[in-house]
């Protein structure tokens, strides 16, 4: 804005003041002008005078005894002078404590609270840090700009929404709203979902989010992570453009926009960028190893003027690349900030020396890392134990029995955790804990056998065993397009009517095995019932229902009907696998669950015995109730990803077999293999006192090929023998 235009704007503001609100002071009208033209008013160039606000004083009287409350490494980081700094804080080394005291130290040096920007990944983390600083110094900490990247982004966007073509009252959509809008965009694009097997809106939401957070092209992402959708690149790009257009026209943003548009706003509006670069003299970032490209760029922009950027994290705990985290951010920080000071905090207060020796040996095999050696602050303890069992069932028996023994020794179940790479790894374990009435909770909140995809496939088997199973019938057909509650109820009536009419004329579908099977029970064919439904199926559902009809007919073959693994495989091949692709972004994980379910089912002679076991697992009242209570003592089951940041006296890590952990896909290149090893490192460092690492020697094949020998994970076999003891279960 040139001087003439700027003066014209002021005259307009003054005219407004005299005409409409003569009682309002002129200076207030100038403030109103700034609000009306936030992106332009600051562009007026005047002589500038720089206040020296960011001088760290050495002679102030400090209220906190930093020397007494911090170790030498923490103290060096907390009192670090001006300039960029990277703090590598190992597991259990007091990362949060260091960052908290850094905020307190800056405040004690006279840095105004509103000149400090603290960026975290959870509101809980930001709140806890501010509360701790408040306990140390008083309420001045609460005016620090602290929060998650997304909350800070929303705050700035509210102030300057007009700079990017939005109104300040824009709506932030939740996941459900975003999914609904995406569905509308798919309709607007006139994409024949049925013909193209186009992904559902919630899968599109995950894909669009990854495109945004990874800052990559749609084509690239689909080729790498969703190859089965690669042929739909053009259509998906069209939907994404419509989605972006609709959001803007409706003055709405989704969660990812809070980062993307924040970054766009800063890059496109020099005056806004300069305002915040001047304001924030110190930028602090927690869990920096988990930042994506956008977040890293935002940190660099915010700290560009003063260069007082301190990032805290642990490269050895970078385990979220699958959701957009960019490992190179922390690894390359010293390259981007040439004058950066690197602080290493290596004193671990969590684990015994033996567990730390094990963890150090684990991560030592990675090439891409900051060299560090965790040192224990605790006295000696038990050696980590590598436990070899014959099979997964025996592994589950060992964990359950050992947990009870430890409980008898005085360690509560709440202080134990069982960790695994993938959810299906805990399948046998959940069964065993249930049978022994050992209370447990699952971090995800959903037991393996209660997951939607497991229940979907089980519904086919239930219906074949019991044609009167209304719930299973309705569950299957409601998966089909165009069938809701009312349609499902009508079709159920037709189905029952068809079965009833044919009842007197039916020969049991398994009559040929009557003589050879002492436990033989008649199983009537479902085909008459399905045939009765055919003419009443909604038009949108006809193809899917015909496929269902054909699948049931095939599954009624005696050679298939008596084998649960074959039945599961038939359901997958008949279209359910395609349904998983459309319905879930983590399709591969869910497919793996079902393949392992088929392998697990080989131990059951009949579908009835398999279903009975499932019912015992899912219908145990005591365990169902315990998931909703917080005061009952119970052992925790969790994926390693979800256990990050937690600690337990005793940790069991199960299914440490090659091909399972690390997974087969993760060994395709060095980067993914090293991330898997970092995941194993995270698992090991959750343990405070005792660590048990379990692997079974035998495993059922996924496709009914019998069982085969397993080898221990390379993460174990590559370790020296002196960092663990081996235990063979008899």
């Amino acid at each position: 804005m040139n001087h003439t235009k700027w003066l014209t704007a002021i005259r307009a503001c003054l005219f407004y003041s005299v005409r409409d609100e003569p009682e309002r002071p002129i200076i207030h009208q100038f403030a109103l002008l700034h609000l009306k033209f936030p992106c332009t008013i600051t562009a007026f160039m005047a002589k500038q005078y720089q206040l020296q606000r960011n001088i760290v004083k050495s002679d102030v009287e400090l209220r906190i005894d930093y020397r007494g409350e911090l170790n030498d490494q923490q103290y060096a980081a907390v009192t670090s002078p001006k300039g960029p700094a990277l703090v590598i804080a190992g597991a259990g080394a007091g990362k949060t404590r260091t960052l908290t005291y850094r905020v307190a130290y800056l405040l004690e040096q006279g840095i105004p609270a509103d000149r400090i920007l603290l960026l975290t990944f959870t509101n809980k983390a930001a709140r806890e840090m501010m509360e701790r600083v408040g306990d140390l110094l008083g309420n001045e900490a609460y005016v620090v700009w602290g929060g998650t990247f997304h909350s800070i982004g929303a705050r700035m966007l509210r102030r300057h929404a007009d700079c990017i073509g939005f109104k300040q009252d824009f709506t932030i959509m939740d996941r459900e709203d975003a999914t609904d809008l995406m569905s509308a965009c798919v309709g607007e694009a006139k994409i024949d979902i049925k013909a193209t097997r186009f992904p559902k809106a919630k899968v599109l939401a995950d894909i669009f989010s990854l495109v945004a957070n990874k800052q990559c092209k749609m084509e690239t992402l689909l080729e790498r992570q969703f190859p089965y959708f690669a042929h739909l690149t053009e259509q998906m790009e069209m939907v994404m453009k419509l989605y972006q257009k609709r959001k803007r026209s409706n003055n709405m943003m989704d969660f990812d926009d809070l980062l993307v548009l924040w970054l766009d706003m800063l890059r496109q509006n020099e005056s806004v960028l300069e305002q915040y670069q001047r304001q924030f003299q110190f930028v602090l970032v927690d869990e920096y190893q988990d930042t994506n490209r956008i977040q890293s760029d935002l940190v660099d922009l915010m700290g560009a003027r003063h260069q007082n950027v301190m990032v805290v994290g642990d490269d050895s705990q970078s385990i979220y690349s699958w959701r957009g985290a960019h490992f190179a951010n922390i690894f390359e920080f010293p390259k981007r900030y040439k004058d950066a000071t690197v602080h290493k905090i290596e004193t671990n207060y969590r684990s015994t020396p033996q567990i730390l020796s094990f963890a150090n040996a684990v991560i030592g095999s990675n090439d891409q890392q900051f060299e560090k050696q965790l040192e224990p602050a605790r006295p000696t303890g038990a050696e980590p134990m590598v436990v070899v069992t014959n099979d997964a069932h025996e592994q589950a028996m060992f964990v359950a029995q050992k947990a009870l023994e430890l409980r008898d020794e005085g360690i509560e179940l709440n202080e134990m955790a069982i960790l695994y790479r993938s959810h299906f790894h805990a399948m046998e374990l959940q069964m065993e804990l249930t049978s022994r009435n050992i209370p447990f909770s699952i971090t995800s909140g959903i037991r393996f056998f209660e997951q939607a995809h497991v229940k979907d496939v089980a519904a086919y088997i239930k219906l074949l065993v019991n044609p009167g199973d209304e719930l299973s019938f309705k569950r299957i057909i409601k998966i089909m397009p165009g069938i809701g509650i009312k349609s499902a109820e009508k079709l159920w009536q037709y189905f029952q009517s068809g079965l009833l009419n044919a009842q007197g004329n039916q020969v049991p579908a398994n009559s040929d095995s009557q003589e050879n099977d002492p436990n033989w029970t008649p199983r009537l064919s479902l085909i008459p019932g399905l045939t009765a439904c055919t003419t009443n199926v909604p038009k949108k559902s006809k193809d899917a229902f015909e496929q269902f009809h054909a699948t049931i007919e095939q599954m009624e073959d005696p050679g298939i009907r008596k084998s649960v693994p074959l039945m599961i495989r038939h359901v997958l091949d008949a279209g359910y696998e395609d349904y998983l692709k459309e319905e879930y972004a983590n399709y591969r994980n869910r497919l793996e669950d079902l393949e392992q379910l088929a392998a697990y089912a080989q131990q059951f002679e009949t579908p009835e015995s398999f279903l009975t076991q499932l019912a015992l697992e899912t219908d145990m009242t005591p365990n169902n109730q315990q998931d909703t209570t917080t005061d009952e003592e119970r052992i925790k089951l969790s994926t390693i990803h979800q256990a990050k940041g937690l600690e337990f006296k005793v940790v069991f890590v199960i299914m440490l077999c090659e091909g399972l952990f690390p997974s087969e896909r993760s060994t395709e290149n060095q980067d993914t293999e090293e991330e898997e090893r970092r995941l194993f490192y995270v698992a090991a460092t959750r343990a405070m006192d005792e660590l048990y690492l379990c692997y079974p020697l035998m495993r059922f094949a996924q496709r009914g090929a019998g069982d085969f020998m397993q080898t221990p994970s390379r993460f174990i076999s590559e370790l020296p023998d002196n960092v663990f003891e081996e235990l063979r279960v008899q």
Side-chain angles (χ1 to χ4, degrees):
M1 180 180 282
N2 60 38
H3 290 188
T4 303
K5 291 182 178 179
W6 189 81
L7 289 172
T8 301
I10 288 197
R11 290 192 190 102
C13 186
L14 295 178
F15 174 76
Y16 167 82
S17 175
V18 173
R19 183 193 67 183
D20 295 334
E21 295 188 61
E23 74 284 356
R24 187 183 294 273
I26 297 297
I27 190 65
H28 287 193
Q29 294 304 318
F30 189 83
L32 288 174
L33 180 67
H34 185 270
L35 290 174
K36 191 170 183 177
F37 304 101
C39 301
T40 55
I41 192 69
T42 55
F44 174 67
M45 299 301 295
K47 291 183 178 180
Q48 299 181 30
Y49 182 85
Q50 181 65 51
L51 293 175
Q52 300 298 312
R53 296 187 176 96
N54 60 339
I55 298 178
V56 176
K57 305 171 185 178
S58 59
D59 58 348
V60 296
E61 186 176 344
L62 302 175
R63 284 177 279 175
I64 301 172
D65 180 10
Y66 294 92
R67 279 286 188 190
E69 298 189 23
L70 303 169
N71 65 38
D72 290 344
Q73 294 173 335
Q74 292 170 337
Y75 179 81
V78 166
T79 60
S80 179
K82 292 193 310 179
L86 169 63
V87 181
I88 301 296
K95 168 181 62 62
T96 301
R97 182 178 182 84
T98 301
L99 201 54
T100 299
Y101 275 78
R102 175 65 172 177
V103 174
Y105 181 77
L106 292 175
L107 292 172
E108 287 217 74
Q109 298 299 317
I111 305 299
D114 64 345
R115 304 287 174 171
I116 301 171
L117 175 62
L118 173 62
L119 295 167
T120 66
F121 275 85
T122 66
N123 287 314
K124 181 182 177 184
R127 187 167 54 251
E128 286 180 353
M129 281 189 225
M130 291 301 97
E131 287 174 354
R132 292 186 190 183
V133 175
D135 292 339
L136 293 170
L137 294 178
N139 290 333
E140 64 253 49
Y142 290 101
V143 293
V144 169
W145 274 61
T148 65
F149 279 89
H150 293 86
S151 67
I152 297 298
R155 186 173 176 180
M156 291 189 185
L157 288 168
R158 289 284 183 205
R159 287 186 168 189
H160 311 282
D162 63 309
C163 299
I164 52 171
F166 281 80
K167 298 176 183 176
Q168 288 186 327
D169 61 349
F170 63 82
T171 301
I172 301 174
M173 297 185 293
D174 59 23
R175 184 62 174 228
E176 186 178 351
D177 292 335
T179 301
D180 289 343
L181 185 60
M182 259 176 230
S183 295
C185 293
V186 172
E188 184 181 348
K190 295 181 170 51
I191 295 172
D192 189 343
I193 298 175
K194 185 177 167 183
T196 60
R197 305 201 73 89
F198 204 71
K200 296 290 180 64
K202 59 184 180 182
V203 177
L204 283 176
D206 287 327
I207 292 173
F208 292 178
S209 179
L210 285 170
V211 168
N213 287 298
K214 290 188 173 217
Q215 292 288 275
C216 64
K217 294 182 179 179
M218 176 73 73
E219 182 180 11
T220 304
L221 179 76
L222 294 180
E223 287 177 356
R224 290 177 180 174
Q225 291 187 236
F226 304 89
Y228 42 89
F229 289 143
H231 64 291
L232 300 173
T233 300
E234 187 176 340
Q235 294 98 314
M236 291 172 71
E237 286 177 339
M238 184 195 310
V239 174
M240 189 164 65
K241 287 178 182 177
L242 289 172
Y243 177 63
Q244 300 291 359
K245 183 180 178 181
R246 283 215 182 186
K247 283 190 296 181
R248 189 170 287 274
S249 64
N250 293 334
N251 198 38
M252 298 188 301
M253 298 182 190
D254 62 25
F255 202 58
D256 296 313
D257 288 331
L258 299 178
L259 299 184
V260 174
L261 295 179
W262 178 17
L263 184 60
D264 288 346
M265 178 186 71
L266 295 178
R267 285 174 170 172
Q268 297 169 14
N269 298 276
E270 206 173 308
S271 60
V272 177
L273 176 60
E274 185 180 10
Q275 173 186 339
Y276 289 112
Q277 285 180 338
R278 286 180 177 275
Q279 176 179 345
F280 297 126
Q281 299 170 22
F282 290 86
V283 179
L284 309 175
V285 187
D286 189 23
E287 302 286 7
Y288 189 69
Q289 78 279 349
D290 294 334
T291 55
N292 58 32
R293 294 179 184 272
I294 301 175
Q295 291 161 331
S296 174
D297 288 346
L298 286 166
V299 171
D300 290 347
L301 280 175
M302 289 290 93
R305 182 179 181 87
H306 299 285
Q307 291 287 297
N308 297 323
V309 178
M310 176 177 282
V311 300
V312 182
D314 184 3
D315 58 298
S316 298
Q317 298 189 70
S318 179
I319 58 174
Y320 294 116
S321 66
W322 51 275
R323 68 183 190 192
H326 192 48
F327 175 74
N329 288 344
I330 190 169
F331 202 61
E332 296 176 355
F333 186 89
K335 298 177 184 177
R336 298 202 314 278
Y337 292 84
K338 299 296 185 182
D339 299 325
T341 303
V342 179
H343 300 274
K344 294 181 182 179
I345 304 177
E346 299 170 296
T347 302
N348 176 285
Y349 295 91
R350 177 185 299 156
S351 306
T352 63
Q354 288 75 11
I355 292 174
L356 289 187
S357 293
F358 181 89
N360 286 330
V362 167
I363 205 64
S365 297
N366 272 8
D367 293 330
Q368 301 181 80
Q369 61 170 313
F370 291 100
E371 289 188 14
K372 57 185 171 297
Q373 193 79 6
L374 292 180
E375 297 293 337
R378 294 186 57 201
T380 189
E383 291 283 349
M385 198 72 68
V386 173
V387 183
V388 186
T389 65
N390 287 320
D391 53 34
H393 178 63
E394 196 171 82
Q395 176 184 248
M397 292 176 64
F398 165 77
V399 173
Q401 183 173 312
K402 190 64 181 178
L404 292 176
E405 290 173 359
L406 291 168
R407 189 176 185 272
D408 291 339
E409 294 172 11
I411 302 175
E412 294 186 358
L413 294 178
N414 289 337
E415 298 173 314
M416 306 179 202
I418 305 166
L419 307 181
Y420 35 84
R421 174 64 179 85
S422 299
H423 204 41
F424 75 82
H425 293 177
M427 184 167 47
E428 290 87 357
L429 181 65
Q430 291 182 34
M431 288 284 197
E432 185 67 22
L433 294 175
T434 299
S435 66
R436 293 185 183 230
N437 204 28
I438 300 174
F440 63 93
S441 63
I442 302 173
T443 303
S444 66
I446 304 175
R447 300 182 180 206
F448 179 87
F449 297 103
E450 294 173 350
Q451 298 178 105
H453 53 293
V454 174
K455 295 181 75 171
D456 287 346
V457 172
Y460 281 81
I461 304 170
K462 288 180 178 181
L463 189 63
L464 282 163
V465 170
N466 175 20
D469 190 333
E470 179 181 354
L471 295 178
S472 293
F473 177 86
K474 290 181 177 178
R475 183 179 190 94
I476 296 168
I477 64 170
K478 282 194 291 188
I479 293 175
M480 303 174 192
I483 295 182
I485 296 175
K486 291 184 178 179
S487 298
E489 178 60 35
K490 289 180 181 178
L491 289 172
W492 168 249
Q493 298 299 330
Y494 287 118
F495 177 72
Q496 285 296 292
S497 176
L499 291 180
L500 186 63
N501 291 336
Q503 193 169 6
N505 302 318
Q506 272 207 67
V507 178
N510 60 332
S511 59
D512 59 328
S513 61
Q514 182 174 3
E515 294 181 1
N516 301 321
D517 186 359
N519 299 314
W520 179 86
T521 55
R523 297 177 188 161
L524 298 178
S525 174
L526 307 183
I527 301 306
L530 296 177
T531 303
C533 296
T534 302
T535 56
N536 300 286
V537 173
K539 189 175 180 180
K540 288 184 179 178
S541 318
K542 282 198 176 293
D543 289 347
F545 192 86
E546 287 175 6
Q547 180 64 70
F548 171 47
H549 191 293
T551 302
I552 292 297
E553 194 168 9
Q554 292 167 348
M555 292 173 70
E556 286 189 343
D557 180 272
I560 297 173
R561 192 163 188 166
K562 64 183 180 182
S563 170
V564 175
L566 288 178
M567 294 169 80
I568 293 173
R569 176 48 52 190
H570 242 71
V571 174
L572 290 173
D573 292 342
Y576 191 76
E577 183 173 344
D578 291 331
Y579 169 78
L580 288 176
K581 293 177 182 177
E582 301 165 19
E583 194 73 19
Y584 303 107
N586 62 344
Y587 140 75
R588 294 186 185 276
N589 293 339
R590 293 176 185 262
L591 179 61
E592 196 169 28
D593 283 347
L594 295 173
E595 288 178 336
Q596 292 303 315
L597 180 68
Y600 171 78
Q602 290 186 74
Q603 63 186 289
F604 299 96
E605 294 183 358
T606 65
E608 287 87 349
S609 59
F610 171 74
L611 294 174
T612 298
Q613 190 61 53
L614 260 63
L616 290 174
E617 165 61 23
T618 57
D619 287 341
M620 294 289 287
T621 303
N623 277 352
N624 286 341
Q625 291 176 345
Q626 61 90 23
D627 281 343
T628 62
T629 60
T630 58
D631 57 347
E632 185 177 351
E633 184 189 358
R634 47 189 172 156
I635 194 168
K636 181 177 287 292
L637 275 62
S638 175
T639 62
I640 302 167
H641 285 101
Q642 292 173 313
K644 185 175 174 291
L646 305 177
E647 60 183 28
F648 306 90
K649 285 187 177 181
V650 180
V651 169
F652 300 87
V653 187
I654 62 173
M655 286 297 183
L656 280 165
C657 308
E658 193 69 12
L660 295 179
F661 193 6
S663 66
E664 290 183 9
R665 292 194 304 274
S666 68
T667 57
E668 295 173 356
N669 59 70
Q670 181 184 0
D671 289 345
T672 53
E673 180 180 331
E674 291 203 350
E675 179 161 330
E676 283 285 288
R677 188 175 285 107
R678 293 195 295 269
L679 187 64
F680 183 45
Y681 172 84
V682 168
T685 54
R686 298 312 93 196
M688 300 167 66
D689 299 337
E690 297 185 43
L691 177 62
Y692 297 90
L693 308 143
C694 309
Y695 76 89
L697 292 170
M698 302 295 294
R699 181 183 171 199
F700 287 114
Q702 294 181 0
R703 298 179 182 264
D707 47 358
F708 61 94
M709 292 291 295
Q710 297 188 127
T711 57
S713 166
R714 66 186 64 188
F715 302 152
I716 292 179
S717 59
E718 69 191 11
L719 296 176
D721 294 338
N722 63 347
V723 297
F724 64 86
E725 291 183 8
E726 186 172 297
L727 177 67
R728 290 189 175 267
V729 175
Q730 302 298 318

